[in-house]
Amino acid sequence: MQTSVLKEVGDLGDLRDSAASAGSDRSPVGLRCPACQSVNVAQVLGDNGGVSYVCTACGHIWS
C-alpha cells in the first residue's frame, strides 16, 4: 500500500479519536449502524444505482 494512503487512514483515526474525546456520540457524517451502533459506516452503490450503507464493524447492510 502506498505511504500516502496509509497516512490518510491514520488521519481518519485521528478524526475519530478527537470526536470521541470531545464527547461526540455521532460519526462525522452522522451515521450509525442500526445493528451494532458503530460509527464505522461506508456508503456503497446498490444494484439499481441506489445508495446503501454497510457497517465495516459487523457487516450489516441497509439502505
Side-chain angles (χ1 to χ4, degrees):
M1 204 178 259
Q2 294 179 350
T3 305
S4 61
V5 173
L6 293 174
K7 181 186 179 318
E8 293 295 325
V9 171
D11 290 345
L12 290 175
D14 294 342
L15 176 63
R16 182 195 63 228
D17 294 342
S18 65
S21 65
S24 174
D25 62 347
R26 298 182 61 179
S27 71
V29 293
L31 291 173
R32 281 190 173 269
C33 173
C36 72
Q37 300 302 310
S38 172
V39 295
N40 298 319
V41 175
Q43 182 177 351
V44 294
L45 292 177
D47 292 338
N48 295 322
V51 175
S52 296
Y53 303 95
V54 61
C55 176
T56 58
C58 73
H60 180 73
I61 299 172
W62 73 99
S63 55

